[in-house]
Amino acid sequence: MQLPLLFSAKKAHGSSTFAALRCPNGSVFSITFSQARDRGRTSLPTIREAFLQMCNLPVRVVCRANAEYMSPSGKVPFIHVGNQVVSELGPIVQFVKAKGHSLSDGLDEVQKAEMKAYMELVNNMLLTAELYLQWCDDVTVEEITHPRYGSPYPWPLNRILSYQKQWEIRRKMKAIGWAGKSLEQVLEDVDQCCQALSQRLGTQPYFFNKQPTELDALVFGHLFTILTTQLITDELSEKVKNYGNLTAFCRRIEQQYFEGHDKDSSATASARCAKRSLLR
């Protein structure tokens, strides 16, 4: 299998030119991120990283400021292999499966249907709650989200792009019926989702017994982000911390698949070290 490289974005003054690092045989398997760790979607890079690590594929993170605009779907991260570019988790999972790597081949059809149902729950609740907190809470938007999202760009472009993204996310929230929700209602949704995940996980190391699946990568990515991303308040992370088996699940995956795997990416390593204490 070709060498996966995880691409983040450089500082605003750095180069934004795409440059994949090649493994000895000349093949490339790169994943491209933006500087602000998916600029407003901070969990998604961790999901992709977790998925690749669970597939036993080596990972390297490289920074790029314009990753979102390099993606064919406008979403990051995306993978680039030879002349193929694939974005979003579902297509990436299918692409990697076609190369001979799958996490869910050992599940029967009933288990696969259950896994997909839980993945939908996570995307509909946790992902949407993260976006709500980052883009619909006025204090968080001004103090955290706008500065982070616009960090790769000079003024006034940083403000223009931030407001453009805010308008996009709020329009999405309105379309799915979340725009009128209060923070308390969003936190209650998160709590219900965590309760369902906690009950499904139980005392197992992974959601389907002893081997990780795409669901484990997805849940880890979102929960790890919630637990380690500093917002104005800790209300969101406290909801997750109420479930000891979920926080233990995050620590276990971090220790097994990430500690010692970041030597090729000093930026990722330093950022993760700064976050790691928040999980304990």
Side-chain angles (χ1 to χ4, degrees), residues 1-5 21-29 58:
M1 187 66 183
Q2 297 164 314
L3 177 65
L5 303 176
L21 300 180
R22 295 178 179 270
C23 56
N25 65 4
S27 60
V28 176
F29 187 163

Side-chain angles (χ1 to χ4, degrees), residues 109-164:
E109 293 305 314
V110 173
Q111 290 175 320
K112 288 180 180 179
E114 186 180 5
M115 181 188 73
K116 291 178 180 179
Y118 276 99
M119 291 179 73
E120 284 296 316
L121 174 67
V122 171
N123 285 325
N124 290 338
M125 292 297 181
L126 295 186
L127 173 58
T128 309
E130 291 173 57
L131 292 174
Y132 178 97
L133 263 292
Q134 292 176 62
W135 293 102
C136 298
D137 181 77
D138 291 336
V139 178
T140 301
V141 167
E142 288 303 317
E143 295 190 16
I144 296 178
T145 309
H146 276 186
R148 181 179 62 199
Y149 187 86
S151 60
Y153 306 104
W155 186 89
L157 183 60
N158 58 344
R159 301 297 289 177
I160 293 172
L161 293 178
S162 295
Y163 279 113
Q164 178 179 304

Side-chain angles (χ1 to χ4, degrees), residues 182-199:
S182 64
L183 177 59
E184 290 72 23
Q185 289 174 314
V186 171
L187 293 175
E188 179 60 27
D189 287 341
V190 170
D191 185 67
Q192 290 180 6
C193 180
C194 288
Q195 183 178 11
L197 292 172
S198 177
Q199 290 175 350

Side-chain angles (χ1 to χ4, degrees), residues 95-116:
F95 181 85
V96 173
K97 183 178 181 179
K99 300 297 182 181
H101 297 264
S102 175
L103 298 179
S104 55
D105 277 352
L107 303 183
D108 59 33
E109 293 305 314
V110 173
Q111 290 175 320
K112 288 180 180 179
E114 186 180 5
M115 181 188 73
K116 291 178 180 179

Side-chain angles (χ1 to χ4, degrees), residues 72-108:
S73 68
K75 296 182 179 181
V76 286
F78 61 87
I79 64 173
H80 176 247
V81 185
N83 61 352
Q84 296 178 285
V85 177
V86 188
S87 62
E88 303 185 60
L89 179 60
I92 289 174
V93 169
Q94 292 303 313
F95 181 85
V96 173
K97 183 178 181 179
K99 300 297 182 181
H101 297 264
S102 175
L103 298 179
S104 55
D105 277 352
L107 303 183
D108 59 33

Side-chain angles (χ1 to χ4, degrees), residues 7-256:
F7 277 56
S8 286
K10 289 188 176 181
K11 297 296 184 182
H13 61 270
S15 170
S16 61
T17 302
F18 182 82
L21 300 180
R22 295 178 179 270
C23 56
N25 65 4
S27 60
V28 176
F29 187 163
S30 62
I31 296 191
T32 307
F33 295 133
S34 64
Q35 176 182 351
R37 293 302 289 175
D38 216 9
R39 296 213 289 264
R41 305 183 194 82
T42 54
S43 70
L44 295 183
T46 307
I47 293 168
R48 272 61 165 191
E49 289 178 65
F51 172 70
L52 289 175
Q53 296 284 12
M54 289 173 180
C55 290
N56 294 318
L57 298 173
V59 174
R60 180 181 174 91
V61 178
V62 179
C63 296
R64 290 293 177 264
N66 61 341
E68 188 172 358
Y69 305 101
M70 297 160 60
S71 170
S73 68
K75 296 182 179 181
V76 286
F78 61 87
I79 64 173
H80 176 247
V81 185
N83 61 352
Q84 296 178 285
V85 177
V86 188
S87 62
E88 303 185 60
L89 179 60
I92 289 174
V93 169
Q94 292 303 313
F95 181 85
V96 173
K97 183 178 181 179
K99 300 297 182 181
H101 297 264
S102 175
L103 298 179
S104 55
D105 277 352
L107 303 183
D108 59 33
E109 293 305 314
V110 173
Q111 290 175 320
K112 288 180 180 179
E114 186 180 5
M115 181 188 73
K116 291 178 180 179
Y118 276 99
M119 291 179 73
E120 284 296 316
L121 174 67
V122 171
N123 285 325
N124 290 338
M125 292 297 181
L126 295 186
L127 173 58
T128 309
E130 291 173 57
L131 292 174
Y132 178 97
L133 263 292
Q134 292 176 62
W135 293 102
C136 298
D137 181 77
D138 291 336
V139 178
T140 301
V141 167
E142 288 303 317
E143 295 190 16
I144 296 178
T145 309
H146 276 186
R148 181 179 62 199
Y149 187 86
S151 60
Y153 306 104
W155 186 89
L157 183 60
N158 58 344
R159 301 297 289 177
I160 293 172
L161 293 178
S162 295
Y163 279 113
Q164 178 179 304
K165 177 58 68 173
Q166 181 180 354
W167 176 82
E168 175 188 325
I169 297 299
R170 291 194 175 189
R171 184 179 63 172
K172 176 182 178 180
M173 293 294 152
K174 184 176 180 180
I176 64 176
W178 277 59
K181 286 192 176 187
S182 64
L183 177 59
E184 290 72 23
Q185 289 174 314
V186 171
L187 293 175
E188 179 60 27
D189 287 341
V190 170
D191 185 67
Q192 290 180 6
C193 180
C194 288
Q195 183 178 11
L197 292 172
S198 177
Q199 290 175 350
R200 180 64 183 84
L201 180 63
T203 59
Q204 301 175 124
Y206 302 106
F207 284 96
F208 291 91
N209 299 318
K210 297 181 180 180
Q211 297 298 324
T213 65
E214 293 86 351
L215 175 62
D216 295 280
L218 182 70
V219 172
F220 169 76
H222 286 291
L223 295 185
F224 185 83
T225 294
I226 291 172
L227 288 167
T228 59
T229 300
Q230 294 183 347
L231 298 175
I232 298 301
T233 72
D234 295 328
E235 293 176 287
L236 185 59
S237 62
E238 288 301 320
K239 291 296 183 182
V240 178
K241 290 178 182 178
N242 287 336
Y243 299 92
N245 62 340
L246 294 183
T247 56
F249 167 82
C250 288
R251 284 195 296 268
R252 183 165 54 251
I253 289 184
E254 183 192 20
Q255 290 167 0
Q256 181 170 352

